[in-house]
Short mmCIF file of all heavy atoms in Angstrom, two decimals:
data_model
loop_
_atom_site.label_atom_id
_atom_site.label_comp_id
_atom_site.label_asym_id
_atom_site.label_seq_id
_atom_site.Cartn_x
_atom_site.Cartn_y
_atom_site.Cartn_z
N GLU Y 48 52.27 49.28 2.15
CA GLU Y 48 52.68 50.57 2.66
C GLU Y 48 53.66 50.42 3.81
O GLU Y 48 54.24 51.46 4.15
CB GLU Y 48 51.42 51.37 3.27
CG GLU Y 48 50.74 50.74 4.40
CD GLU Y 48 49.50 51.41 4.83
OE1 GLU Y 48 48.44 51.09 4.36
OE2 GLU Y 48 49.63 52.29 5.68
N HIS Y 49 53.93 49.27 4.20
CA HIS Y 49 54.94 48.99 5.37
C HIS Y 49 56.27 48.51 4.98
O HIS Y 49 57.09 48.33 5.71
CB HIS Y 49 54.24 47.93 6.37
CG HIS Y 49 52.96 48.53 6.88
ND1 HIS Y 49 52.94 49.54 7.91
CD2 HIS Y 49 51.73 48.15 6.72
CE1 HIS Y 49 51.65 49.67 8.25
NE2 HIS Y 49 50.94 48.89 7.47
N CYS Y 50 56.48 48.31 3.62
CA CYS Y 50 57.63 47.69 3.05
C CYS Y 50 58.25 48.49 1.89
O CYS Y 50 57.46 48.83 0.99
CB CYS Y 50 57.33 46.23 2.65
SG CYS Y 50 58.79 45.26 2.14
N HIS Y 51 59.48 48.86 2.00
CA HIS Y 51 60.09 49.70 1.08
C HIS Y 51 61.44 49.20 0.59
O HIS Y 51 62.27 48.78 1.45
CB HIS Y 51 60.19 51.18 1.42
CG HIS Y 51 58.93 51.73 1.81
ND1 HIS Y 51 57.97 52.14 0.98
CD2 HIS Y 51 58.35 51.95 3.09
CE1 HIS Y 51 56.94 52.62 1.60
NE2 HIS Y 51 57.17 52.53 2.91
N VAL Y 52 61.76 49.19 -0.68
CA VAL Y 52 63.15 48.66 -1.23
C VAL Y 52 64.13 49.77 -0.80
O VAL Y 52 64.06 50.95 -1.14
CB VAL Y 52 63.09 48.49 -2.67
CG1 VAL Y 52 64.35 48.10 -3.25
CG2 VAL Y 52 61.98 47.47 -3.15
N ALA Y 53 65.21 49.32 -0.07
CA ALA Y 53 66.29 50.18 0.25
C ALA Y 53 67.42 49.97 -0.62
O ALA Y 53 68.10 51.02 -1.14
CB ALA Y 53 66.72 49.92 1.69
N SER Y 54 67.80 48.73 -1.05
CA SER Y 54 68.91 48.41 -1.97
C SER Y 54 68.75 47.14 -2.53
O SER Y 54 68.13 46.20 -2.09
CB SER Y 54 70.24 48.61 -1.24
OG SER Y 54 70.44 47.54 -0.34
N TRP Y 55 69.48 47.00 -3.65
CA TRP Y 55 69.45 45.71 -4.41
C TRP Y 55 70.89 45.62 -4.98
O TRP Y 55 71.17 46.43 -5.94
CB TRP Y 55 68.45 45.69 -5.51
CG TRP Y 55 68.57 44.66 -6.49
CD1 TRP Y 55 68.75 44.92 -7.92
CD2 TRP Y 55 68.63 43.27 -6.39
NE1 TRP Y 55 68.93 43.76 -8.56
CE2 TRP Y 55 68.87 42.69 -7.73
CE3 TRP Y 55 68.57 42.37 -5.39
CZ2 TRP Y 55 69.04 41.31 -7.93
CZ3 TRP Y 55 68.69 41.04 -5.60
CH2 TRP Y 55 68.81 40.52 -6.86
N ARG Y 56 71.70 44.66 -4.44
CA ARG Y 56 73.08 44.48 -5.00
C ARG Y 56 73.59 43.10 -4.67
O ARG Y 56 73.26 42.56 -3.61
CB ARG Y 56 73.99 45.56 -4.47
CG ARG Y 56 74.35 45.57 -3.07
CD ARG Y 56 75.45 46.61 -2.67
NE ARG Y 56 74.93 47.93 -2.77
CZ ARG Y 56 74.65 48.67 -1.77
NH1 ARG Y 56 74.66 48.31 -0.56
NH2 ARG Y 56 74.19 49.95 -1.86
N GLU Y 57 74.32 42.60 -5.58
CA GLU Y 57 74.97 41.32 -5.46
C GLU Y 57 73.95 40.19 -4.95
O GLU Y 57 74.35 39.39 -4.07
CB GLU Y 57 76.14 41.44 -4.48
CG GLU Y 57 77.20 42.35 -5.03
CD GLU Y 57 78.30 42.66 -3.99
OE1 GLU Y 57 78.30 42.10 -2.93
OE2 GLU Y 57 79.18 43.53 -4.28
N GLY Y 58 72.82 40.13 -5.49
CA GLY Y 58 71.87 39.17 -5.22
C GLY Y 58 71.16 39.26 -3.84
O GLY Y 58 70.38 38.44 -3.44
N SER Y 59 71.37 40.38 -3.20
CA SER Y 59 70.75 40.61 -1.88
C SER Y 59 69.82 41.85 -2.01
O SER Y 59 70.23 42.93 -2.36
CB SER Y 59 71.84 40.89 -0.87
OG SER Y 59 71.21 41.08 0.41
N LEU Y 60 68.55 41.60 -1.52
CA LEU Y 60 67.56 42.70 -1.51
C LEU Y 60 67.27 43.06 -0.11
O LEU Y 60 66.96 42.27 0.70
CB LEU Y 60 66.22 42.13 -2.19
CG LEU Y 60 65.05 43.07 -2.14
CD1 LEU Y 60 65.30 44.25 -3.08
CD2 LEU Y 60 63.81 42.26 -2.65
N LEU Y 61 67.49 44.39 0.14
CA LEU Y 61 67.27 44.95 1.45
C LEU Y 61 65.97 45.63 1.49
O LEU Y 61 65.74 46.63 0.72
CB LEU Y 61 68.35 45.82 1.88
CG LEU Y 61 68.19 46.55 3.26
CD1 LEU Y 61 68.10 45.54 4.42
CD2 LEU Y 61 69.29 47.58 3.47
N LEU Y 62 65.02 45.24 2.32
CA LEU Y 62 63.64 45.80 2.47
C LEU Y 62 63.66 46.53 3.76
O LEU Y 62 63.93 45.94 4.86
CB LEU Y 62 62.55 44.87 2.28
CG LEU Y 62 62.55 44.05 0.99
CD1 LEU Y 62 61.40 43.07 1.01
CD2 LEU Y 62 62.30 45.11 -0.21
N ILE Y 63 63.13 47.77 3.79
CA ILE Y 63 62.84 48.53 5.08
C ILE Y 63 61.44 48.28 5.48
O ILE Y 63 60.50 48.55 4.66
CB ILE Y 63 63.27 49.95 4.97
CG1 ILE Y 63 64.72 50.18 4.57
CG2 ILE Y 63 62.88 50.81 6.20
CD1 ILE Y 63 65.69 49.77 5.59
N VAL Y 64 61.23 47.89 6.69
CA VAL Y 64 59.81 47.60 7.21
C VAL Y 64 59.58 48.62 8.30
O VAL Y 64 60.39 48.89 9.09
CB VAL Y 64 59.68 46.19 7.58
CG1 VAL Y 64 58.28 45.81 7.92
CG2 VAL Y 64 60.23 45.22 6.52
N THR Y 65 58.29 49.10 8.43
CA THR Y 65 57.95 50.04 9.42
C THR Y 65 57.97 49.64 10.81
O THR Y 65 58.23 50.45 11.74
CB THR Y 65 56.57 50.71 9.07
OG1 THR Y 65 55.66 49.68 9.11
CG2 THR Y 65 56.58 51.41 7.80
N ASP Y 66 57.66 48.33 11.04
CA ASP Y 66 57.70 47.92 12.52
C ASP Y 66 57.97 46.34 12.58
O ASP Y 66 57.92 45.69 11.53
CB ASP Y 66 56.35 48.22 13.22
CG ASP Y 66 55.13 47.67 12.57
OD1 ASP Y 66 55.19 46.59 12.11
OD2 ASP Y 66 54.18 48.34 12.55
N GLY Y 67 58.25 45.90 13.74
CA GLY Y 67 58.53 44.49 13.89
C GLY Y 67 57.51 43.55 13.61
O GLY Y 67 57.72 42.48 13.07
N HIS Y 68 56.16 43.90 13.70
CA HIS Y 68 55.04 43.12 13.42
C HIS Y 68 55.14 42.78 11.91
O HIS Y 68 55.03 41.61 11.55
CB HIS Y 68 53.74 43.85 13.74
CG HIS Y 68 52.62 43.27 13.13
ND1 HIS Y 68 51.97 42.15 13.62
CD2 HIS Y 68 51.86 43.65 12.06
CE1 HIS Y 68 50.87 41.85 12.88
NE2 HIS Y 68 50.78 42.78 11.87
N TRP Y 69 55.31 43.81 11.06
CA TRP Y 69 55.30 43.48 9.62
C TRP Y 69 56.52 42.78 9.23
O TRP Y 69 56.57 41.97 8.31
CB TRP Y 69 55.12 44.82 8.91
CG TRP Y 69 53.73 45.24 8.89
CD1 TRP Y 69 53.14 46.26 9.60
CD2 TRP Y 69 52.59 44.58 8.15
NE1 TRP Y 69 51.80 46.42 9.42
CE2 TRP Y 69 51.43 45.35 8.57
CE3 TRP Y 69 52.54 43.63 7.33
CZ2 TRP Y 69 50.24 45.10 7.96
CZ3 TRP Y 69 51.32 43.30 6.79
CH2 TRP Y 69 50.18 44.02 7.08
N ALA Y 70 57.63 43.02 9.93
CA ALA Y 70 58.88 42.35 9.65
C ALA Y 70 58.75 40.82 9.85
O ALA Y 70 59.11 40.01 9.11
CB ALA Y 70 60.07 42.84 10.43
N THR Y 71 58.07 40.56 10.95
CA THR Y 71 57.81 39.10 11.26
C THR Y 71 56.92 38.47 10.21
O THR Y 71 57.18 37.32 9.79
CB THR Y 71 57.21 38.99 12.59
OG1 THR Y 71 58.11 39.53 13.63
CG2 THR Y 71 56.95 37.52 13.02
N ARG Y 72 55.86 39.15 9.87
CA ARG Y 72 54.90 38.68 8.86
C ARG Y 72 55.63 38.45 7.57
O ARG Y 72 55.32 37.37 6.94
CB ARG Y 72 53.78 39.54 8.70
CG ARG Y 72 52.82 39.48 9.83
CD ARG Y 72 51.57 40.40 9.68
NE ARG Y 72 50.79 39.90 8.60
CZ ARG Y 72 49.54 40.30 8.19
NH1 ARG Y 72 49.08 41.33 9.01
NH2 ARG Y 72 48.94 39.89 7.27
N LEU Y 73 56.45 39.26 7.17
CA LEU Y 73 57.20 39.20 5.88
C LEU Y 73 58.27 38.12 5.95
O LEU Y 73 58.56 37.43 4.97
CB LEU Y 73 57.83 40.52 5.40
CG LEU Y 73 56.79 41.58 4.99
CD1 LEU Y 73 57.40 42.96 4.88
CD2 LEU Y 73 56.02 41.20 3.77
N ARG Y 74 58.93 37.95 7.12
CA ARG Y 74 59.86 36.81 7.15
C ARG Y 74 59.18 35.44 7.06
O ARG Y 74 59.85 34.52 6.47
CB ARG Y 74 60.57 36.94 8.56
CG ARG Y 74 61.67 37.97 8.54
CD ARG Y 74 62.47 38.04 9.83
NE ARG Y 74 63.34 39.13 9.88
CZ ARG Y 74 63.18 40.20 10.61
NH1 ARG Y 74 62.18 40.21 11.54
NH2 ARG Y 74 64.03 41.26 10.56
N TYR Y 75 57.96 35.31 7.47
CA TYR Y 75 57.29 34.06 7.33
C TYR Y 75 57.00 33.83 5.78
O TYR Y 75 56.86 32.69 5.44
CB TYR Y 75 55.94 34.02 8.04
CG TYR Y 75 56.06 33.81 9.58
CD1 TYR Y 75 55.65 34.63 10.56
CD2 TYR Y 75 56.59 32.57 10.01
CE1 TYR Y 75 55.74 34.39 11.94
CE2 TYR Y 75 56.82 32.25 11.28
CZ TYR Y 75 56.35 33.16 12.30
OH TYR Y 75 56.51 32.87 13.56
N GLN Y 76 56.85 34.84 5.08
CA GLN Y 76 56.60 34.77 3.62
C GLN Y 76 57.81 34.82 2.77
O GLN Y 76 57.74 34.93 1.58
CB GLN Y 76 55.56 35.82 3.17
CG GLN Y 76 54.29 35.77 4.00
CD GLN Y 76 53.41 36.90 3.71
OE1 GLN Y 76 53.48 37.55 2.65
NE2 GLN Y 76 52.45 37.28 4.57
N GLN Y 77 58.97 34.95 3.39
CA GLN Y 77 60.23 35.26 2.68
C GLN Y 77 60.53 34.27 1.56
O GLN Y 77 60.79 34.70 0.45
CB GLN Y 77 61.34 35.23 3.67
CG GLN Y 77 62.60 35.60 3.06
CD GLN Y 77 63.79 35.79 4.12
OE1 GLN Y 77 63.52 35.64 5.37
NE2 GLN Y 77 64.97 36.06 3.71
N LYS Y 78 60.37 32.99 1.75
CA LYS Y 78 60.69 31.97 0.70
C LYS Y 78 59.78 32.20 -0.48
O LYS Y 78 60.20 32.23 -1.65
CB LYS Y 78 60.63 30.52 1.22
CG LYS Y 78 61.73 30.23 2.19
CD LYS Y 78 63.05 30.29 1.56
CE LYS Y 78 64.22 29.97 2.52
NZ LYS Y 78 65.50 30.27 2.01
N ARG Y 79 58.47 32.33 -0.20
CA ARG Y 79 57.50 32.51 -1.31
C ARG Y 79 57.76 33.80 -2.04
O ARG Y 79 57.78 33.85 -3.26
CB ARG Y 79 56.08 32.57 -0.77
CG ARG Y 79 55.01 32.86 -1.75
CD ARG Y 79 53.65 33.29 -1.17
NE ARG Y 79 53.75 34.52 -0.36
CZ ARG Y 79 53.79 35.78 -0.78
NH1 ARG Y 79 53.73 36.02 -2.14
NH2 ARG Y 79 53.78 36.79 -0.05
N LEU Y 80 58.08 34.93 -1.37
CA LEU Y 80 58.40 36.17 -1.92
C LEU Y 80 59.63 36.05 -2.79
O LEU Y 80 59.61 36.58 -3.90
CB LEU Y 80 58.51 37.31 -0.85
CG LEU Y 80 58.75 38.71 -1.33
CD1 LEU Y 80 57.67 39.20 -2.23
CD2 LEU Y 80 58.93 39.59 -0.14
N GLN Y 81 60.66 35.39 -2.29
CA GLN Y 81 61.81 35.22 -3.07
C GLN Y 81 61.57 34.42 -4.39
O GLN Y 81 62.10 34.84 -5.41
CB GLN Y 81 62.86 34.51 -2.22
CG GLN Y 81 64.21 34.39 -2.90
CD GLN Y 81 65.31 33.85 -1.99
OE1 GLN Y 81 65.13 33.90 -0.74
NE2 GLN Y 81 66.35 33.31 -2.55
N ARG Y 82 60.87 33.31 -4.31
CA ARG Y 82 60.56 32.57 -5.49
C ARG Y 82 59.79 33.43 -6.46
O ARG Y 82 60.07 33.34 -7.69
CB ARG Y 82 59.68 31.31 -5.14
CG ARG Y 82 60.51 30.16 -4.61
CD ARG Y 82 59.67 28.86 -4.57
NE ARG Y 82 58.42 29.04 -3.95
CZ ARG Y 82 58.05 28.96 -2.60
NH1 ARG Y 82 59.07 28.65 -1.74
NH2 ARG Y 82 56.82 29.15 -2.20
N GLN Y 83 58.83 34.17 -6.04
CA GLN Y 83 58.03 34.98 -6.92
C GLN Y 83 58.83 36.15 -7.59
O GLN Y 83 58.68 36.38 -8.73
CB GLN Y 83 56.84 35.56 -6.26
CG GLN Y 83 55.80 34.50 -5.90
CD GLN Y 83 54.64 35.02 -5.14
OE1 GLN Y 83 54.76 35.96 -4.33
NE2 GLN Y 83 53.42 34.50 -5.39
N LEU Y 84 59.74 36.73 -6.83
CA LEU Y 84 60.50 37.82 -7.37
C LEU Y 84 61.59 37.27 -8.35
O LEU Y 84 61.96 38.02 -9.27
CB LEU Y 84 61.27 38.57 -6.22
CG LEU Y 84 60.34 39.46 -5.39
CD1 LEU Y 84 61.02 40.06 -4.19
CD2 LEU Y 84 59.68 40.58 -6.23
N GLN Y 85 62.03 36.07 -8.15
CA GLN Y 85 63.08 35.48 -8.98
C GLN Y 85 62.49 35.29 -10.45
O GLN Y 85 63.31 35.10 -11.43
CB GLN Y 85 63.62 34.13 -8.51
CG GLN Y 85 64.55 34.40 -7.38
CD GLN Y 85 64.89 33.14 -6.70
OE1 GLN Y 85 64.21 32.14 -6.71
NE2 GLN Y 85 66.07 33.14 -6.00
N LEU Y 86 61.15 35.29 -10.55
CA LEU Y 86 60.55 35.13 -11.92
C LEU Y 86 60.76 36.38 -12.79
O LEU Y 86 60.68 36.34 -14.00
CB LEU Y 86 59.09 34.82 -11.75
CG LEU Y 86 58.77 33.49 -11.06
CD1 LEU Y 86 57.28 33.36 -10.81
CD2 LEU Y 86 59.41 32.28 -11.83
N PHE Y 87 61.08 37.53 -12.12
CA PHE Y 87 61.28 38.80 -12.84
C PHE Y 87 62.71 38.83 -13.30
O PHE Y 87 63.60 38.37 -12.55
CB PHE Y 87 60.96 40.01 -12.02
CG PHE Y 87 59.50 40.08 -11.56
CD1 PHE Y 87 59.07 39.99 -10.22
CD2 PHE Y 87 58.53 40.50 -12.58
CE1 PHE Y 87 57.73 40.19 -9.93
CE2 PHE Y 87 57.27 40.66 -12.22
CZ PHE Y 87 56.88 40.51 -10.90
N ASP Y 88 63.04 39.34 -14.41
CA ASP Y 88 64.37 39.47 -14.98
C ASP Y 88 65.26 40.22 -13.99
O ASP Y 88 66.43 39.96 -13.83
CB ASP Y 88 64.43 40.13 -16.33
CG ASP Y 88 63.80 39.22 -17.42
OD1 ASP Y 88 63.73 37.98 -17.22
OD2 ASP Y 88 63.34 39.77 -18.38
N GLU Y 89 64.68 41.35 -13.43
CA GLU Y 89 65.50 42.14 -12.59
C GLU Y 89 65.95 41.45 -11.31
O GLU Y 89 67.00 41.79 -10.74
CB GLU Y 89 64.63 43.42 -12.08
CG GLU Y 89 64.30 44.35 -13.20
CD GLU Y 89 63.04 44.02 -14.01
OE1 GLU Y 89 62.63 42.85 -13.93
OE2 GLU Y 89 62.63 44.75 -14.75
#
Side-chain angles (χ1 to χ4, degrees):
E48 67 182 89
H49 301 284
C50 184
H51 304 283
V52 175
S54 70
W55 162 242
R56 68 174 70 101
E57 299 172 4
S59 182
L60 177 65
L61 176 62
L62 299 176
I63 300 296
V64 186
T65 57
D66 58 40
H68 164 78
W69 283 104
T71 301
R72 287 183 67 170
L73 290 169
R74 282 186 187 109
Y75 280 122
Q76 301 174 23
Q77 184 172 357
K78 292 295 181 191
R79 176 196 59 81
L80 181 60
Q81 184 174 338
R82 280 192 313 272
Q83 289 176 327
L84 288 175
Q85 285 172 334
L86 298 175
F87 295 111
D88 292 337
E89 291 85 346

